[in-house]
Amino acid sequence: MGHPTSTASEQTLFRISWPLFIELALHMGMGIVATLMLSHYSDLAAAGVGVANQLISIFILVFNVTSIASMIIIGQKLGAEDLAKARQTARTAFGMNFWFGLIVSAVVVLFGSAFLSFFDLKGDTLAYATTFVQICGASLFLESLSLTLSAILRANGRTKVSMVVAVLMNVLSVLGYLVAIFGLFGMPITGVVGVSWTIVIARIFAVVVLFYFVYRYLAIRFTGTHLIKLHVQDIKDILVIGVPSAAENLSYQYSQIVITAIVANFGDASLAARVYINNISMLCYLFTLSIAEGTQLLVSRYIGGKQYDRALKRGLRTLKIAMVASFIVSMGFALTGAPILQMFTADPAILAVGIPILWAVAFTEPGRAMNIVLMSSLKSAGDAKFPAVIGVISMWGIAVLLSYVLGVSFGYGLLGVWIAMGVDEWFRGIFAYRRWRSRPWEKKEKAAVPETAIS
């Protein structure tokens, strides 16, 4: 227990990615399960919580990007066989997310209701969303710690450990949802309030267990000193990747807020259909996310070890796998049609709006796969500014603008919005492909050579 161990150098993409796939499946699955359960409780509750979750996700990004950036930096240092600096970066990342978590929790608790006003929600939908944000907002601090600890384990090759925690956390969550929504064991039905408190309890559990595993497998301890004395160079390295990534992700979330406001004008049926189809879309890119994150870990190690050709080939191989898988899954959903949406709702108005969107999903997902795999790989190679610049331009210049033009001006409604989002994903994906083939890490290394010589 006193000796840190890393399995990083021994792992293939499959060994890294299959636990990530299961973990992501459980994470997404719980969102879908919660939505399904709430839809049986109330379609308005499902819509309200779905929108509130979108708001919560924006704030989670503040510390999620620092954990991902730290995972990349740790991976690069492990690739360079510098274990001491990798551990130092882990402690710095923990300290950063500790403070980010406190700040974000305070902001959501104090201003959550005001932020919800941007979504143009009304009546019971707004009431459900407000309840969810107020209760879950305070526990975002725990989410920040959980993300950091999971990132440290993953960077060291311990993807199975974070998967085990996800399994246990989701079992706990399912039991809580059953009690809250269906009154299991004779308990009173508490609806959205009960679901929200279940999430808080599950987050507490996850943090405690992750602390234990980080100490057990990596022998890393966190003390009060690590919250105050943060390594400046590590902070800079994390922010070099984290700030552009945060800008890109926040831009995406804010653009989705605007798009949600556009969809809200189409009526409650369109809003509910968007929530349900977003859950279906997650299943389409679940596999892509898992192998993209596995590739991100491998690329960071290859770049740290200066194995540049290996990094290039790994990214391209993963791209082919992800695009084929996304197309097959999304086409399967499109061909199945109504039975998929009927798992969520029997409302004929929602079904009428949602079924045609499944074909737009089949158009969108291969482009999203290209975008996810290559943009994340570029960040692992230290090229974080390019994804941010292209992302901001495309999200607002294509996704938002075209959503309004097709959805409102041309009257295609939610279908027009989904087509616009698909064009955005393909545009960014194509640019990412061209950037990846240009080997940007080599340009960065050449630019650094004169600086090294001068110093």
Side-chain angles (χ1 to χ4, degrees):
M1 187 179 294
H3 300 283
T5 60
S6 172
T7 62
S9 61
E10 308 162 8
Q11 291 182 307
T12 62
L13 178 63
F14 176 76
R15 288 186 63 189
I16 290 174
S17 297
W18 78 259
L20 293 174
F21 177 83
I22 293 175
E23 183 178 351
L24 288 168
L26 289 169
H27 179 72
M28 289 184 178
M30 286 314 301
I32 295 172
V33 167
T35 303
L36 276 168
M37 289 184 180
L38 282 169
S39 69
H40 290 289
Y41 174 74
S42 164
D43 280 327
L44 294 180
V49 170
V51 173
N53 236 340
Q54 189 174 327
L55 175 64
I56 293 289
S57 296
I58 294 173
F59 295 101
I60 289 177
L61 284 173
V62 176
F63 32 79
N64 190 34
V65 293
T66 61
S67 64
I68 292 174
S70 63
M71 182 180 71
I72 292 170
I73 300 301
I74 293 169
Q76 290 176 351
K77 290 176 179 178
L78 290 173
E81 299 183 355
D82 195 340
L83 182 59
K85 287 187 177 179
R87 288 163 61 81
Q88 174 185 281
T89 301
R91 290 193 172 101
T92 298
F94 178 82
M96 287 181 65
N97 264 9
F98 174 83
W99 296 112
F100 279 144
L102 286 179
I103 293 170
V104 169
S105 291
V107 168
V108 175
V109 169
L110 294 173
F111 304 107
S113 298
F115 291 134
L116 282 173
S117 64
F118 291 109
F119 290 91
D120 197 28
L121 302 178
K122 299 178 178 67
D124 288 341
T125 305
L126 175 60
Y128 287 129
T130 301
T131 297
F132 187 83
V133 166
Q134 287 176 340
I135 296 174
C136 290
S139 71
L140 283 175
F141 161 73
L142 298 169
E143 186 75 9
S144 72
L145 298 181
S146 175
L147 285 168
T148 305
L149 295 169
S150 292
I152 292 168
L153 287 164
R154 290 174 183 172
N156 283 273
R158 298 289 180 177
T159 53
K160 290 182 185 178
V161 176
S162 55
M163 177 196 72
V164 169
V165 176
V167 170
L168 297 174
M169 183 178 176
N170 281 279
V171 169
L172 180 62
S173 296
V174 168
L175 289 174
Y177 294 159
L178 289 172
V179 170
I181 297 172
F182 299 108
L184 193 67
F185 306 124
M187 299 292 288
I189 295 175
T190 52
V192 173
V193 173
V195 167
S196 302
W197 279 110
T198 295
I199 292 171
V200 174
I201 294 169
R203 284 174 175 169
I204 293 171
F205 171 81
V207 169
V208 172
V209 176
L210 285 168
F211 265 124
Y212 168 74
F213 281 132
V214 167
Y215 176 66
R216 177 181 175 182
Y217 289 113
L218 306 179
I220 298 177
R221 279 181 154 182
F222 301 100
T223 66
T225 302
H226 298 134
L227 301 178
I228 300 172
K229 295 183 179 179
L230 305 180
H231 196 268
V232 175
Q233 187 57 50
D234 283 337
I235 293 175
K236 290 180 180 179
D237 290 341
I238 291 171
L239 293 180
V240 163
I241 296 174
V243 170
S245 298
E248 178 194 2
N249 285 302
L250 287 171
S251 175
Y252 177 78
Q253 294 295 337
Y254 286 127
S255 70
Q256 290 301 302
I257 290 177
V258 175
I259 290 173
T260 300
I262 293 173
V263 173
N265 290 321
F266 302 150
D268 286 336
S270 290
L271 189 63
R274 183 168 190 261
V275 172
Y276 297 146
I277 294 175
N278 272 337
N279 280 279
I280 293 170
S281 295
M282 288 179 186
L283 296 176
C284 296
Y285 60 80
L286 168 62
F287 178 75
T288 294
L289 283 175
S290 61
I291 62 172
E293 188 168 338
T295 300
Q296 195 171 38
L297 286 166
L298 288 175
V299 167
S300 66
R301 295 170 194 165
Y302 297 155
I303 295 297
K306 301 189 183 300
Q307 302 177 58
Y308 299 136
D309 286 340
R310 199 175 178 189
L312 175 68
K313 292 175 182 177
R314 177 67 271 163
L316 295 176
R317 284 198 297 268
T318 301
L319 173 64
K320 293 176 184 177
I321 297 168
M323 291 188 72
V324 171
S326 293
F327 177 73
I328 291 173
V329 175
S330 58
M331 277 300 296
F333 285 137
L335 291 169
T336 304
I340 296 295
L341 272 178
Q342 285 171 347
M343 294 174 61
F344 293 89
T345 182
D347 189 322
I350 297 175
L351 293 173
V353 171
I355 291 172
I357 309 302
L358 294 174
W359 290 101
V361 170
F363 160 70
T364 300
E365 293 312 316
R368 193 198 303 269
M370 183 185 294
N371 181 17
I372 289 172
V373 169
L374 294 183
M375 288 301 191
S376 62
S377 294
L378 283 168
K379 293 170 189 176
S380 285
D383 189 22
K385 290 182 182 179
F386 175 84
V389 172
I390 292 298
V392 171
I393 292 172
S394 183
M395 291 166 200
W396 294 94
I398 296 179
V400 172
L401 181 60
L402 202 57
S403 288
Y404 183 83
V405 171
L406 294 178
V408 178
S409 299
F410 284 83
Y412 289 110
L414 187 61
L415 178 60
V417 168
W418 228 279
I419 292 172
M421 292 192 297
V423 173
D424 162 50
E425 295 289 356
W426 276 100
F427 179 84
R428 285 188 283 152
I430 291 169
F431 267 86
Y433 177 77
R434 295 182 62 182
R435 182 72 168 185
W436 185 251
R437 293 299 298 263
S438 73
R439 299 171 177 257
W441 51 84
E442 293 182 354
K443 298 174 184 177
K444 182 178 178 181
E445 185 176 17
K446 288 177 182 177
V449 169
E451 295 181 13
T452 304
I454 292 171
S455 60

